[in-house]
Amino acid sequence: GLVVSSYDVACMVAVLLVSYYGDSHNRPKLMGKAAIFMSIGAMIFTIPHFIGGRYNVDKYYNTTESDINLCNSSHNIDTSNKQIDHCADQSHGERWALVIFIIAQIFVGAGASPVFTLTPTYLYDNVAPHLYSIYAGQIYKFIISKFKKNRP
């Protein structure tokens, strides 16, 4: 939830700046810079894969079903110190990756803001009025289809 929320917060902050500067500046250049900003965020998002090392499942979970150590509230009540130490190690071990994911989502959110705010206005100004609905429909159809594919 925290990683996805950072995208939304960055998008909301960026939309204020984009809507203010979007009218007075060159909109295609702003959209191009935003695309570069989004691609930088996507590259930052891959950093934990390359510097994190190989993921070892056995480090966190035993192979027998009776000894599985899942770190949730019902298992943390257990009196064995082994399980509590295991949960503490797991919660703090990869926190650096969470920070990198949040920074990446901030970049992607700030870069995605012009797509939703400047693209429709740019189309409206540069396309014949009777064709605007066709182009806008294609853009929103693409966006909705992406959200629809991610749903079960």
Side-chain angles (χ1 to χ4, degrees):
L2 184 62
V3 175
V4 176
S5 297
S6 61
Y7 169 88
D8 294 332
V9 169
C11 198
M12 287 180 57
V13 170
V15 79
L16 296 172
L17 297 171
V18 167
S19 62
Y20 180 75
Y21 290 113
D23 189 35
S24 60
H25 289 76
N26 189 352
R27 283 180 273 180
K29 285 184 181 179
L30 284 176
M31 288 186 283
K33 290 175 184 176
I36 292 170
F37 215 65
M38 279 188 351
S39 64
I40 290 170
M43 286 188 278
I44 292 172
F45 204 83
T46 64
I47 289 174
H49 173 74
F50 295 111
I51 65 173
R54 188 168 181 85
Y55 181 70
N56 185 5
V57 177
D58 293 331
K59 178 180 174 184
Y60 298 114
Y61 303 109
N62 293 332
T63 55
T64 61
E65 203 170 308
S66 63
D67 288 337
I68 292 178
N69 292 322
L70 296 177
C71 294
N72 59 29
S73 61
S74 65
H75 288 276
N76 288 340
I77 298 171
D78 190 14
T79 58
S80 70
N81 289 332
K82 177 185 171 189
Q83 188 168 2
I84 293 171
D85 291 340
H86 160 74
C87 292
D89 290 343
Q90 184 176 357
S91 65
H92 295 295
E94 282 82 22
R95 192 164 305 255
W96 61 270
L98 178 68
V99 172
I100 291 175
F101 289 145
I102 291 172
I103 291 169
Q105 285 295 84
I106 289 172
F107 272 81
V108 173
S113 177
V115 172
F116 297 114
T117 56
L118 294 180
T119 303
T121 59
Y122 180 74
L123 275 177
Y124 188 76
D125 291 344
N126 294 305
V127 174
H130 67 280
L131 294 176
Y132 172 75
S133 60
I134 295 171
Y135 287 114
Q138 293 298 320
I139 291 171
Y140 292 125
K141 180 183 81 169
F142 176 75
I143 293 170
I144 290 170
S145 69
K146 289 298 177 187
F147 287 124
K148 199 173 185 180
K149 282 184 183 178
N150 293 332
R151 301 271 179 201

CSV table of all heavy atoms in Angstrom, one decimal, residues 92-128:
chain,number,residue,atom,x,y,z
A,92,HIS,N,13.2,-5.9,8.9
A,92,HIS,CA,14.2,-4.9,8.7
A,92,HIS,C,15.2,-5.2,7.7
A,92,HIS,O,16.0,-4.4,7.3
A,92,HIS,CB,14.9,-4.6,10.1
A,92,HIS,CG,14.0,-4.1,11.1
A,92,HIS,ND1,13.4,-2.8,11.0
A,92,HIS,CD2,13.5,-4.6,12.3
A,92,HIS,CE1,12.6,-2.6,12.0
A,92,HIS,NE2,12.7,-3.6,12.9
A,93,GLY,N,15.2,-6.4,7.2
A,93,GLY,CA,16.3,-6.9,6.3
A,93,GLY,C,16.3,-6.2,4.9
A,93,GLY,O,17.3,-5.9,4.4
A,94,GLU,N,15.1,-6.1,4.4
A,94,GLU,CA,15.0,-5.5,3.0
A,94,GLU,C,14.3,-4.2,3.0
A,94,GLU,O,13.6,-3.8,2.0
A,94,GLU,CB,14.3,-6.5,2.1
A,94,GLU,CG,15.1,-7.6,1.6
A,94,GLU,CD,15.2,-8.8,2.6
A,94,GLU,OE1,14.3,-8.9,3.5
A,94,GLU,OE2,16.2,-9.5,2.6
A,95,ARG,N,14.4,-3.4,4.0
A,95,ARG,CA,13.8,-2.1,4.1
A,95,ARG,C,14.4,-1.1,3.1
A,95,ARG,O,13.7,-0.2,2.6
A,95,ARG,CB,13.9,-1.5,5.5
A,95,ARG,CG,13.1,-0.3,5.7
A,95,ARG,CD,12.9,0.1,7.1
A,95,ARG,NE,12.4,-1.0,7.9
A,95,ARG,CZ,11.1,-1.1,8.3
A,95,ARG,NH1,10.3,-0.2,8.0
A,95,ARG,NH2,10.8,-2.1,9.1
A,96,TRP,N,15.7,-1.3,2.7
A,96,TRP,CA,16.3,-0.5,1.7
A,96,TRP,C,15.6,-0.6,0.4
A,96,TRP,O,15.5,0.3,-0.4
A,96,TRP,CB,17.8,-0.8,1.6
A,96,TRP,CG,18.0,-2.2,1.2
A,96,TRP,CD1,18.2,-3.3,2.0
A,96,TRP,CD2,18.1,-2.7,-0.2
A,96,TRP,NE1,18.4,-4.4,1.2
A,96,TRP,CE2,18.4,-4.1,-0.1
A,96,TRP,CE3,18.0,-2.1,-1.4
A,96,TRP,CZ2,18.5,-4.9,-1.2
A,96,TRP,CZ3,18.2,-2.9,-2.6
A,96,TRP,CH2,18.4,-4.3,-2.4
A,97,ALA,N,15.1,-1.8,0.1
A,97,ALA,CA,14.4,-2.0,-1.2
A,97,ALA,C,13.1,-1.3,-1.2
A,97,ALA,O,12.7,-0.7,-2.2
A,97,ALA,CB,14.2,-3.5,-1.4
A,98,LEU,N,12.4,-1.3,-0.1
A,98,LEU,CA,11.1,-0.5,0.1
A,98,LEU,C,11.4,0.9,-0.2
A,98,LEU,O,10.6,1.6,-0.9
A,98,LEU,CB,10.5,-0.8,1.4
A,98,LEU,CG,9.2,0.0,1.7
A,98,LEU,CD1,8.1,-0.5,0.8
A,98,LEU,CD2,8.9,-0.1,3.2
A,99,VAL,N,12.4,1.5,0.3
A,99,VAL,CA,12.7,2.9,0.1
A,99,VAL,C,13.0,3.2,-1.4
A,99,VAL,O,12.5,4.2,-2.0
A,99,VAL,CB,13.9,3.4,1.0
A,99,VAL,CG1,14.4,4.7,0.6
A,99,VAL,CG2,13.6,3.3,2.4
A,100,ILE,N,13.7,2.3,-2.0
A,100,ILE,CA,14.0,2.4,-3.5
A,100,ILE,C,12.7,2.3,-4.3
A,100,ILE,O,12.5,3.1,-5.2
A,100,ILE,CB,15.0,1.4,-4.0
A,100,ILE,CG1,16.4,1.7,-3.4
A,100,ILE,CG2,15.1,1.4,-5.5
A,100,ILE,CD1,17.5,0.7,-3.6
A,101,PHE,N,11.8,1.4,-3.9
A,101,PHE,CA,10.5,1.3,-4.6
A,101,PHE,C,9.7,2.6,-4.4
A,101,PHE,O,9.0,3.0,-5.4
A,101,PHE,CB,9.7,0.1,-4.1
A,101,PHE,CG,10.3,-1.2,-4.5
A,101,PHE,CD1,10.2,-2.3,-3.7
A,101,PHE,CD2,10.9,-1.4,-5.8
A,101,PHE,CE1,10.7,-3.5,-4.1
A,101,PHE,CE2,11.4,-2.6,-6.2
A,101,PHE,CZ,11.3,-3.7,-5.3
A,102,ILE,N,9.7,3.2,-3.3
A,102,ILE,CA,9.0,4.4,-3.0
A,102,ILE,C,9.5,5.5,-3.9
A,102,ILE,O,8.8,6.3,-4.5
A,102,ILE,CB,8.9,4.7,-1.5
A,102,ILE,CG1,8.1,3.7,-0.8
A,102,ILE,CG2,8.4,6.2,-1.3
A,102,ILE,CD1,8.1,3.8,0.7
A,103,ILE,N,10.8,5.7,-3.9
A,103,ILE,CA,11.5,6.7,-4.7
A,103,ILE,C,11.1,6.5,-6.2
A,103,ILE,O,10.8,7.5,-6.9
A,103,ILE,CB,13.0,6.7,-4.5
A,103,ILE,CG1,13.3,7.2,-3.0
A,103,ILE,CG2,13.7,7.6,-5.5
A,103,ILE,CD1,14.7,7.0,-2.6
A,104,ALA,N,11.2,5.3,-6.6
A,104,ALA,CA,10.8,5.0,-8.0
A,104,ALA,C,9.4,5.4,-8.3
A,104,ALA,O,9.1,6.0,-9.4
A,104,ALA,CB,11.1,3.6,-8.4
A,105,GLN,N,8.5,5.1,-7.5
A,105,GLN,CA,7.1,5.4,-7.7
A,105,GLN,C,6.8,6.9,-7.6
A,105,GLN,O,5.9,7.4,-8.3
A,105,GLN,CB,6.2,4.7,-6.7
A,105,GLN,CG,6.0,3.2,-6.9
A,105,GLN,CD,5.3,2.9,-8.2
A,105,GLN,OE1,5.9,2.9,-9.3
A,105,GLN,NE2,4.0,2.7,-8.2
A,106,ILE,N,7.6,7.6,-6.9
A,106,ILE,CA,7.5,9.1,-6.9
A,106,ILE,C,7.9,9.6,-8.3
A,106,ILE,O,7.2,10.5,-8.8
A,106,ILE,CB,8.3,9.7,-5.7
A,106,ILE,CG1,7.7,9.4,-4.4
A,106,ILE,CG2,8.5,11.2,-5.9
A,106,ILE,CD1,8.5,9.8,-3.2
A,107,PHE,N,8.9,9.1,-8.8
A,107,PHE,CA,9.4,9.5,-10.2
A,107,PHE,C,8.3,9.2,-11.2
A,107,PHE,O,8.0,10.0,-12.1
A,107,PHE,CB,10.7,8.9,-10.5
A,107,PHE,CG,11.9,9.6,-10.1
A,107,PHE,CD1,12.4,9.5,-8.8
A,107,PHE,CD2,12.6,10.4,-11.0
A,107,PHE,CE1,13.5,10.2,-8.5
A,107,PHE,CE2,13.7,11.1,-10.7
A,107,PHE,CZ,14.2,11.0,-9.4
A,108,VAL,N,7.8,7.9,-11.1
A,108,VAL,CA,6.8,7.5,-12.1
A,108,VAL,C,5.5,8.3,-11.9
A,108,VAL,O,4.9,8.7,-12.9
A,108,VAL,CB,6.5,6.0,-12.0
A,108,VAL,CG1,5.3,5.6,-12.8
A,108,VAL,CG2,7.8,5.2,-12.3
A,109,GLY,N,5.1,8.6,-10.7
A,109,GLY,CA,3.9,9.4,-10.5
A,109,GLY,C,4.0,10.8,-11.0
A,109,GLY,O,3.1,11.4,-11.6
A,110,ALA,N,5.1,11.4,-10.7
A,110,ALA,CA,5.4,12.8,-11.2
A,110,ALA,C,5.4,12.8,-12.7
A,110,ALA,O,5.0,13.8,-13.3
A,110,ALA,CB,6.6,13.3,-10.6
A,111,GLY,N,5.9,11.8,-13.3
A,111,GLY,CA,6.0,11.7,-14.8
A,111,GLY,C,4.7,11.4,-15.5
A,111,GLY,O,4.4,11.8,-16.6
A,112,ALA,N,3.8,10.7,-14.8
A,112,ALA,CA,2.6,10.3,-15.3
A,112,ALA,C,1.5,11.4,-15.3
A,112,ALA,O,0.6,11.4,-16.0
A,112,ALA,CB,2.0,9.1,-14.6
A,113,SER,N,1.7,12.4,-14.4
A,113,SER,CA,0.8,13.5,-14.3
A,113,SER,C,0.5,14.2,-15.6
A,113,SER,O,-0.6,14.5,-15.9
A,113,SER,CB,1.3,14.4,-13.2
A,113,SER,OG,0.4,15.5,-13.1
A,114,PRO,N,1.5,14.6,-16.4
A,114,PRO,CA,1.2,15.3,-17.6
A,114,PRO,C,0.5,14.5,-18.6
A,114,PRO,O,-0.2,15.0,-19.5
A,114,PRO,CB,2.6,15.7,-18.2
A,114,PRO,CG,3.5,15.7,-17.0
A,114,PRO,CD,3.0,14.6,-16.1
A,115,VAL,N,0.6,13.2,-18.5
A,115,VAL,CA,-0.1,12.3,-19.5
A,115,VAL,C,-1.6,12.5,-19.3
A,115,VAL,O,-2.4,12.6,-20.3
A,115,VAL,CB,0.3,10.8,-19.3
A,115,VAL,CG1,-0.6,9.9,-20.1
A,115,VAL,CG2,1.7,10.6,-19.6
A,116,PHE,N,-2.1,12.6,-18.1
A,116,PHE,CA,-3.5,12.7,-17.8
A,116,PHE,C,-4.0,14.1,-17.9
A,116,PHE,O,-5.2,14.4,-18.1
A,116,PHE,CB,-3.8,12.1,-16.4
A,116,PHE,CG,-3.5,10.7,-16.3
A,116,PHE,CD1,-2.6,10.2,-15.5
A,116,PHE,CD2,-4.3,9.8,-17.1
A,116,PHE,CE1,-2.3,8.9,-15.4
A,116,PHE,CE2,-4.0,8.4,-17.0
A,116,PHE,CZ,-3.0,8.0,-16.1
A,117,THR,N,-3.1,15.1,-17.7
A,117,THR,CA,-3.6,16.5,-17.7
A,117,THR,C,-3.3,17.2,-19.1
A,117,THR,O,-4.2,18.0,-19.5
A,117,THR,CB,-3.0,17.3,-16.6
A,117,THR,OG1,-1.5,17.2,-16.7
A,117,THR,CG2,-3.4,16.8,-15.3
A,118,LEU,N,-2.2,17.0,-19.6
A,118,LEU,CA,-1.8,17.8,-20.8
A,118,LEU,C,-2.2,17.2,-22.2
A,118,LEU,O,-2.5,17.8,-23.1
A,118,LEU,CB,-0.3,18.0,-20.9
A,118,LEU,CG,0.3,18.9,-19.8
A,118,LEU,CD1,1.8,19.1,-19.9
A,118,LEU,CD2,-0.4,20.3,-19.8
A,119,THR,N,-2.3,15.8,-22.2
A,119,THR,CA,-2.6,15.2,-23.4
A,119,THR,C,-4.0,15.5,-24.0
A,119,THR,O,-4.2,15.9,-25.1
A,119,THR,CB,-2.5,13.6,-23.3
A,119,THR,OG1,-1.1,13.4,-22.9
A,119,THR,CG2,-2.8,12.9,-24.6
A,120,PRO,N,-5.1,15.5,-23.1
A,120,PRO,CA,-6.4,15.9,-23.6
A,120,PRO,C,-6.4,17.3,-24.1
A,120,PRO,O,-7.1,17.6,-25.2
A,120,PRO,CB,-7.3,15.7,-22.5
A,120,PRO,CG,-6.6,14.7,-21.6
A,120,PRO,CD,-5.2,15.0,-21.7
A,121,THR,N,-5.8,18.2,-23.4
A,121,THR,CA,-5.8,19.6,-23.8
A,121,THR,C,-5.0,19.8,-25.1
A,121,THR,O,-5.4,20.6,-26.0
A,121,THR,CB,-5.3,20.6,-22.7
A,121,THR,OG1,-4.0,20.2,-22.4
A,121,THR,CG2,-6.2,20.5,-21.5
A,122,TYR,N,-3.9,19.1,-25.2
A,122,TYR,CA,-3.1,19.2,-26.5
A,122,TYR,C,-3.9,18.7,-27.7
A,122,TYR,O,-3.9,19.3,-28.7
A,122,TYR,CB,-1.8,18.5,-26.3
A,122,TYR,CG,-0.9,18.6,-27.5
A,122,TYR,CD1,-0.2,19.7,-27.8
A,122,TYR,CD2,-0.8,17.5,-28.4
A,122,TYR,CE1,0.6,19.8,-28.9
A,122,TYR,CE2,0.0,17.5,-29.5
A,122,TYR,CZ,0.7,18.7,-29.8
A,122,TYR,OH,1.5,18.8,-30.9
A,123,LEU,N,-4.6,17.6,-27.5
A,123,LEU,CA,-5.4,17.1,-28.6
A,123,LEU,C,-6.5,18.0,-28.9
A,123,LEU,O,-6.8,18.2,-30.1
A,123,LEU,CB,-6.0,15.7,-28.1
A,123,LEU,CG,-5.2,14.5,-28.3
A,123,LEU,CD1,-5.9,13.3,-27.8
A,123,LEU,CD2,-4.8,14.3,-29.8
A,124,TYR,N,-7.2,18.6,-27.9
A,124,TYR,CA,-8.3,19.5,-28.2
A,124,TYR,C,-7.8,20.7,-29.0
A,124,TYR,O,-8.6,21.2,-29.8
A,124,TYR,CB,-8.9,19.9,-26.9
A,124,TYR,CG,-10.2,20.7,-27.0
A,124,TYR,CD1,-11.4,20.1,-27.4
A,124,TYR,CD2,-10.2,22.1,-26.9
A,124,TYR,CE1,-12.5,20.8,-27.6
A,124,TYR,CE2,-11.4,22.8,-27.1
A,124,TYR,CZ,-12.5,22.1,-27.4
A,124,TYR,OH,-13.7,22.8,-27.6
A,125,ASP,N,-6.6,21.2,-28.7
A,125,ASP,CA,-6.1,22.4,-29.4
A,125,ASP,C,-5.6,22.1,-30.8
A,125,ASP,O,-5.6,23.0,-31.7
A,125,ASP,CB,-5.0,23.0,-28.6
A,125,ASP,CG,-5.5,23.7,-27.3
A,125,ASP,OD1,-6.7,23.9,-27.2
A,125,ASP,OD2,-4.6,23.9,-26.5
A,126,ASN,N,-5.2,20.8,-31.1
A,126,ASN,CA,-4.6,20.6,-32.4
A,126,ASN,C,-5.3,19.6,-33.3
A,126,ASN,O,-4.8,19.2,-34.3
A,126,ASN,CB,-3.2,20.0,-32.1
A,126,ASN,CG,-2.3,21.1,-31.4
A,126,ASN,OD1,-2.1,22.2,-32.0
A,126,ASN,ND2,-1.8,20.8,-30.3
A,127,VAL,N,-6.5,19.1,-32.9
A,127,VAL,CA,-7.2,18.2,-33.7
A,127,VAL,C,-8.6,18.9,-34.1
A,127,VAL,O,-9.1,19.7,-33.4
A,127,VAL,CB,-7.5,16.9,-33.0
A,127,VAL,CG1,-8.4,15.9,-33.7
A,127,VAL,CG2,-6.2,16.2,-32.6
A,128,ALA,N,-9.0,18.5,-35.3
A,128,ALA,CA,-10.3,19.1,-35.7
A,128,ALA,C,-11.4,18.7,-34.7
A,128,ALA,O,-11.4,17.6,-34.1
A,128,ALA,CB,-10.7,18.5,-37.1
